Amino acid sequence: MAFESAKAMLGEVVVKQILRYLANEPEKNLVKILQWGETIAREPIHKQYARSWARLLADENNNWHKLVSRILKQASPNVRDKIGINFFVHAGILAPAYRARAEKKHGVHVPWAMLIDPTGRCNLRCKGCWAAEYDRTQDMDYATLDRVISEAEDLGIRFIVVSGGEPMVRKDDLISLAKKHDNSVFHVFTNGTLIDRDTAQHLADLGNITFAISIEGFEEQTDARRGKGVFNKVMQAMDNLREAGVIFGFSATYTRENTEVVGSDKFIDLMIDKGCALGWLFTYVPVGGGADLDYMATPDQRAFMYRQVNRWRSEKPIFVADFWNDGAAVGGCIAGGRNYFHINAAGEVEPCAFVHFANVNIKNTSLVEALKSPLFQAYQAAQPFNHNHLRPCPIIDNPEVLERLVTETGAYSTQKNGISASALCQSLYGYAGSWGKVADEIWMGKRALEEQKA
């Protein structure tokens, strides 16, 4: 432990100096750092990565060069140092050793990230909200939040994702937790309406909280789903965070009504102009309030988004990920404790934010025991759920799998309406089949192209 503490201190000093060196003249110094990294890298694959990125970032017109330069310039010195140290040193260099040791000790796979909800309360009522069928009066007590985050850190989980409800309803508790657990990165999904200038500055002073702000397109689409005036509040929140130097991005759910807008260059360019460093895309999953299959993006719309995101990655200075269409990048579904899991405000430990079934409640068990739950073990044994990673999801892409896993493990519904896995999954068989035909065609074409290049 003493050696790891010394390693952490040395890593922090080195990373801080590198970040400050980069911030002075990022356009010139980015390439120098990567060339240095190639020189000291031991593994051939790491040398190759450093060489490839050095080549990309040497081009001032390259979108990744522009993104990294913008982040380094836009982030306040405190945010830049804190996120850089926590992400690269604690979550990157040190955490894998902690996870490996914990896995050997406890006989359980330890994921990279944890998603936790401090509250079910929210100041908005959005159409099709994935969390609408939870008990919205629930708050997880501070002591439990603190304990679970501490247990996660001990296991080597240093990327803490926060959702709800609206997490900023409990702003003071969230800030207190981030301050106490200052070697972890907190990434908060928020509707943005409660982030004023003073709050943004306080967050910048803290340094280790980043944000994903929910938006549905432009004013017409956002206000239609989230309420009149919300779009303008989101724009103001982004301005507040950018001016304070806090790193943030957007989170958008694409549906049958807004896919072409969210997938437009006009929209992504607005997000870049507002200062977003990243964007998370979710396709609508009919699990929350007023679940509506007709609100789901069509297979053609989902394919459209796949093409747009892949094009943006070669053109736009922003990192955008689509949790469904990017299955190939992560080997399929990442839930069920494989790479992440979800704890809702009532304490129910779920495989995913959209899979509202559980075997255990964190209020009466440890995190280690929760990770050993029958549903999590069944998830990991069955992953990937499809050989085609464009069909990664056990809800909307392979509903027969989720129905089987929930039934076999005796998991219970965590929603107020107590919906059964059978009722949820069987309604999605038709959609899964329709998307499967489109996805298989894209997948076979992608594989054929890769084989030609090889």
Side-chain angles (χ1 to χ4, degrees), residues 26-203:
E27 290 82 0
K28 295 180 180 178
N29 295 337
L30 273 170
V31 178
K32 293 180 182 178
I33 290 294
L34 286 165
Q35 290 171 340
W36 174 71
E38 181 187 349
T39 301
I40 66 170
R42 295 182 179 180
E43 300 294 331
I45 187 66
H46 295 155
K47 287 182 177 292
Q48 181 181 337
Y49 285 152
R51 189 181 307 117
S52 297
W53 277 102
R55 187 167 55 250
L56 282 175
L57 297 176
D59 180 3
E60 293 185 2
N61 295 316
N62 181 272
N63 58 307
W64 296 106
H65 175 103
K66 292 177 180 178
L67 172 60
V68 176
S69 298
R70 177 163 62 86
I71 292 173
L72 289 168
K73 290 179 177 179
Q74 185 174 301
S76 73
N78 185 55
V79 169
R80 182 193 65 217
D81 291 350
K82 197 67 179 176
I83 294 297
I85 288 168
N86 284 2
F87 193 82
F88 290 108
V89 177
H90 295 288
I93 297 172
L94 300 177
Y98 275 91
R99 292 199 296 273
R101 185 165 57 241
E103 289 176 351
K104 183 177 180 180
K105 177 181 178 180
H106 300 292
V108 65
H109 176 68
V110 179
W112 187 71
M114 175 177 71
L115 171 61
I116 192 166
D117 302 346
T119 183
R121 292 180 289 140
C122 186
N123 60 326
L124 300 181
R125 289 293 181 269
C126 305
K127 178 181 177 181
C129 174
W130 62 271
E133 281 298 330
Y134 286 144
D135 183 349
R136 289 195 170 191
T137 67
Q138 289 282 345
D139 273 345
M140 186 177 292
D141 64 280
Y142 185 92
T144 299
L145 287 165
D146 184 30
R147 170 180 66 84
V148 174
I149 294 172
S150 295
E151 291 180 9
E153 290 177 325
D154 288 343
L155 293 175
I157 302 172
R158 295 301 178 109
F159 192 69
I160 312 298
V161 186
V162 183
S163 62
E166 170 48 50
M168 295 302 287
V169 168
R170 295 186 65 184
K171 177 184 69 176
D172 292 343
D173 285 339
L174 182 61
I175 288 173
S176 174
L177 288 165
K179 185 176 182 179
K180 182 174 182 180
H181 300 276
D182 67 343
N183 286 333
S184 291
V185 176
F186 287 77
H187 187 54
V188 180
F189 282 83
T190 175
N191 61 41
T193 61
L194 303 178
I195 302 177
D196 57 24
R197 283 191 174 87
D198 289 342
T199 298
Q201 187 56 59
H202 196 168
L203 294 164

Side-chain angles (χ1 to χ4, degrees), residues 277-351:
L278 54 90
W280 303 123
L281 294 175
F282 300 84
T283 191
Y284 169 71
V285 180
V287 296
D292 182 1
L293 271 65
D294 290 335
Y295 198 47
M296 297 177 72
T298 66
D300 286 343
Q301 287 177 316
R302 192 165 160 185
F304 163 77
M305 192 63 79
Y306 171 79
R307 293 190 297 270
Q308 290 295 88
V309 170
N310 278 278
R311 179 173 61 81
W312 289 341
R313 288 188 183 135
S314 65
E315 297 178 2
K316 302 294 184 180
I318 185 171
F319 173 76
V320 180
D322 183 327
F323 276 91
W324 278 258
N325 286 337
D326 277 333
V330 290
C333 173
I334 64 172
R338 177 176 167 239
N339 285 339
Y340 104 107
F341 62 98
H342 178 230
I343 304 176
N344 69 22
E348 309 292 0
V349 186
E350 304 168 334

Side-chain angles (χ1 to χ4, degrees), residues 343-421:
I343 304 176
N344 69 22
E348 309 292 0
V349 186
E350 304 168 334
C352 170
F354 299 94
V355 177
H356 298 170
F357 297 93
N359 294 120
V360 297
N361 189 298
I362 202 64
K363 293 180 180 179
N364 50 42
T365 193
S366 68
L367 187 54
V368 165
E369 292 305 312
L371 291 172
K372 293 180 179 179
S373 73
L375 185 55
F376 280 29
Q377 297 306 300
Y379 243 71
Q380 291 170 37
Q383 288 166 328
F385 301 122
N386 199 300
H387 72 280
N388 180 345
H389 294 326
L390 291 175
R391 302 169 63 184
C393 183
I395 316 171
I396 63 173
D397 297 332
N398 308 279
E400 72 285 353
V401 175
L402 180 62
E403 184 177 3
R404 174 175 59 82
L405 296 181
V406 169
T407 301
E408 290 178 354
T409 60
Y412 54 84
S413 172
T414 58
Q415 294 192 168
K416 289 187 301 179
N417 63 7
I419 188 170
S420 69

Side-chain angles (χ1 to χ4, degrees), residues 211-229:
F211 289 89
I213 303 178
S214 297
I215 191 168
E216 313 300 334
F218 299 111
E219 184 172 10
E220 178 183 352
Q221 295 79 26
T222 301
D223 286 4
R225 188 180 187 205
R226 297 184 167 269
K228 187 174 177 58

